[in-house]
Amino acid sequence: DAMVIQNPRYQVTQFGKPVTLSCSQTLNHNVMYWYQQKSSQAPKLLFHYYDKDFNNEADTPDNFQSRRPNTSFCFLDIRSPGLGDAAMYLCATSREDGSVYEQFFGPGTRLTVL
Amino acid sequence: RKEVEQDPGPFNVPEGATVAFNCTYSNSASQSFFWYRQDCRKEPKLLMSVYSSGNEDGRFTAQLNRASQYISLLIRDSKLSDSATYLCVVNKAGGYNKLIFGAGTRLAVHP
């Protein structure tokens, strides 16, 4: 049973051409995250939603935006992808009630920028 | 200094070997600690949480030393299927379940 789903699994875009990655979850978790992971590096948190509240990391470039239209869906928009944005983009979810819980990851979208 | 530091490896070990990974973290206010496993080109998955008293799950044992801000993972009787990258993960104190990931330690188990 898929719990965190990401589409597409592979995305190829051209330099500067906007791209949207999508994430959906069946866990009804109130927190959703977007991470960027480059080869041999740690997943890097870009931003997260706590319910509808958007929380941007201080070092996330303005080129990256996100939308969460409802509990189940979250989107990552890259307005003008550069070659340095080629990476695996991971969506994760967790519940939040004051304790720290496991984050569940989707399979990721591997982005290639030509 | 990175918030979570790990030896990147790779650790190349034969089947049946015991292998230990170490991790240090910088924020003494962190309260929750985890080991995640990540297979090549796949997503991270929780291996085990790490408790102050130490905890064991089958062949895997995790230890936490708060005074030294040090976490360890011990794998006994290594299997070929244990080959993966092991990520040390620490919660960011004060955040909504924000986790800080180490870059991972790569393990390769050979026949």
Side-chain angles (χ1 to χ4, degrees), chain B residues 40-82:
Chain B
C40 188
R41 302 176 77 84
K42 297 286 183 71
E43 74 273 24
K45 292 184 179 178
L46 180 68
L47 178 67
M48 58 197 303
S49 301
V50 186
Y51 303 116
S52 295
S53 54
N55 49 300
E56 186 174 307
D57 182 2
R59 298 181 293 108
F60 299 84
T61 301
Q63 297 278 352
L64 168 64
N65 184 322
R66 286 187 186 272
S68 303
Q69 296 178 209
Y70 171 95
I71 306 162
S72 66
L73 176 68
L74 183 76
I75 305 176
R76 290 181 300 277
D77 189 23
S78 298
K79 311 292 185 190
L80 295 176
S81 58
D82 293 334

Side-chain angles (χ1 to χ4, degrees), chain A residues 33 35 37 40 42-43 45 48 50 57 88 90 94-96 100-103 105-107 110, chain B residues 31-32 34 36 38 41-46 87 91-92 95-99 101-104:
Chain A
Y33 309 80
Y35 290 87
Q37 187 177 26
S40 300
L45 182 63
H48 73 281
Y50 179 81
E57 293 301 297
M88 173 79 91
L90 294 160
S94 73
R95 62 186 173 113
E96 166 63 35
V100 181
Y101 294 103
E102 172 188 359
Q103 290 186 14
F105 284 83
R110 186 165 294 280
Chain B
Q31 295 294 320
S32 298
F34 309 90
Y36 275 69
Q38 187 170 25
R41 302 176 77 84
K42 297 286 183 71
E43 74 273 24
K45 292 184 179 178
L46 180 68
L87 304 170
N91 84 296
K92 191 175 182 73
Y96 289 129
N97 196 11
K98 289 173 65 170
L99 300 181
F101 286 78

Side-chain angles (χ1 to χ4, degrees), chain B residues 4 25 30 32-34 71 88-92 98-100:
Chain B
V4 178
Y25 60 96
S30 293
S32 298
F33 310 90
F34 309 90
I71 306 162
C88 176
V89 185
V90 174
N91 84 296
K92 191 175 182 73
K98 289 173 65 170
L99 300 181
I100 307 299

